[in-house]
Amino acid sequence: MDPLVIDRRDGSRMELHVWPTATAKSPPILIMPAMGVPGGYYRPLAEALAAQGFPVVVGEQRGHGGSGVRPGRRV
């Protein structure tokens, strides 16, 4: 599954990983990872929720996943 990529004005980008469901009867559950935790850590949870019919979106914090910004002394 390819992530939905959002380009920000500051030149960085954010990835959203989406698990849609064909019979979604509720708004999507948004999971934003804890600091220092990549979004992929939440994949088993997202897949389990989607299997139960809940649409799920997992975001990535700046500096993680496909983010265009990496932590450093200047960032």
Side-chain angles (χ1 to χ4, degrees), residues 26-59:
S26 66
I29 296 171
L30 175 62
I31 299 173
M32 290 304 293
M35 283 182 28
V37 179
Y41 177 82
Y42 296 93
R43 184 181 191 117
L45 174 61
E47 290 174 347
L49 288 168
Q52 295 297 315
F54 297 98
V56 181
V57 176
V58 177

Side-chain angles (χ1 to χ4, degrees), residues 11-39:
S12 66
R13 65 180 178 253
M14 176 183 184
E15 290 183 349
L16 295 175
H17 301 271
V18 180
W19 282 265
T21 59
T23 60
K25 295 179 183 172
S26 66
I29 296 171
L30 175 62
I31 299 173
M32 290 304 293
M35 283 182 28
V37 179

